[in-house]
């Protein structure tokens, strides 16, 4: 997706303002996050196809003009330093973002784990019947009962993990929508400059 999108960027930039391109690209990524915020434990690879396409288009169409804006904002002799500083900032921002998302996911996972556990009534006859049936499958006795509880907790953990990922994608969607207006602060590249000059 990235290569065909990059090849069409020079043509697109001739007809659309750079602000429109970046804002649309950011919305593409944000909408991909929104699509993934409704996953279930039965979600398969095909459920990620549209979101991945939106990611590829959005990241490519936003990275190119943003990199061009960095380079065109400094004198030509400082272009190399500006490009290096941009790369360092992007890597640093990515590392901080990943750490923040990992912490957020851990918090949401613990929240959903105990939230689901709190809804499982110890005196629920349906739950007790399910545990008894599972215990028989695992061989009855104390070992079977323990295995049944472990299997039930495994199902809870699986649901909690999916719900925590949904929260992460929803947070990314909201963050993406919040930064879209910032595209209006971009300056159009100078006349005659090449959008591919960064390469």
């Amino acid at each position: 997706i990235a290569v065909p999108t990059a090849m069409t960027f020079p043509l697109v930039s001739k007809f659309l303002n750079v602000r429109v391109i970046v804002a649309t690209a950011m919305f593409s990524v944000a909408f991909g996050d929104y699509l993934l915020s409704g996953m279930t434990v039965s979600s398969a690879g095909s459920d990620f196809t549209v979101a991945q396409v939106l990611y590829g288009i959005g990241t490519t169409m936003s990275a190119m003009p943003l990199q061009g804006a960095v380079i065109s904002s400094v004198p030509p002799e400082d272009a190399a330093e500006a490009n290096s500083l941009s790369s360092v900032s992007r890597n640093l921002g990515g590392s901080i973002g990943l750490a923040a998302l990992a912490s957020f996911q851990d918090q949401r996972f613990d929240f959903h784990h105990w939230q689901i556990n709190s809804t499982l009534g110890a005196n629920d006859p349906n739950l007790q019947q399910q545990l008894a049936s599972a215990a028989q499958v695992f061989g009855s006795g104390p070992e079977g009962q323990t295995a049944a509880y472990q299997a039930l907790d495994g199902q809870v953990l699986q649901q909690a993990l999916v719900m925590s990922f949904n929260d992460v994608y929803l947070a990314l969607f909201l963050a993406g929508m919040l930064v879209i207006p910032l595209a209006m602060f971009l300056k159009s590249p100078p006349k005659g400059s090449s959008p591919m000059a960064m390469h």
Side-chain angles (χ1 to χ4, degrees):
I1 296 299
V3 174
T5 303
M7 293 175 64
T8 62
F9 177 77
L11 179 63
V12 173
S13 62
K14 289 182 179 180
F15 297 97
L16 295 177
N17 186 279
V18 65
R19 300 180 184 90
V20 176
I21 295 175
V22 173
T24 304
M26 289 182 174
F27 177 77
S28 176
V29 175
F31 188 63
D33 290 323
Y34 177 76
L35 292 178
L36 293 179
S37 66
M39 293 188 296
T40 66
V41 293
S42 60
S43 295
S46 58
D47 297 320
F48 298 85
T49 302
V50 176
Q52 292 298 319
V53 171
L54 291 174
Y55 284 160
I57 294 175
T59 53
T60 304
M61 295 299 282
S62 62
M64 297 178 69
L66 289 176
Q67 187 76 5
V70 171
I71 295 177
S72 63
S73 64
V74 299
E77 60 271 17
D78 296 329
E81 288 79 4
N83 185 39
S84 299
L85 183 60
S86 174
S87 298
V88 171
S89 301
R90 183 171 59 249
N91 292 334
L92 180 61
S95 298
I96 295 174
L98 287 174
L101 285 176
S103 177
F104 177 71
Q105 181 189 346
D106 288 341
Q107 294 175 4
R108 299 306 297 173
F109 177 75
D110 288 338
F111 171 80
H112 290 302
H113 182 203
W114 296 113
Q115 192 76 8
I116 296 174
N117 275 330
S118 66
T119 63
L120 299 177
N123 298 322
D124 185 352
N126 293 327
L127 178 60
Q128 293 302 321
Q129 182 178 3
Q130 178 183 347
L131 289 172
S133 300
Q136 291 180 357
V137 172
F138 292 116
S140 301
E143 294 81 5
Q145 191 71 21
T146 300
Y149 277 109
Q150 290 176 344
L152 176 62
D153 189 56
Q155 295 176 3
V156 172
L157 290 174
Q158 186 180 39
Q159 293 287 349
L161 181 62
V162 173
M163 294 170 73
S164 66
F165 272 112
N166 287 345
D167 290 345
V168 168
Y169 282 118
L170 186 59
L172 289 173
F173 164 70
L174 295 175
M177 296 301 293
L178 288 175
V179 301
I180 287 177
L182 297 179
M184 299 301 105
F185 292 97
L186 285 173
K187 295 181 179 180
S188 298
K191 295 295 183 181
S193 63
S194 172
M196 302 298 290
M198 72 195 78
H199 300 292

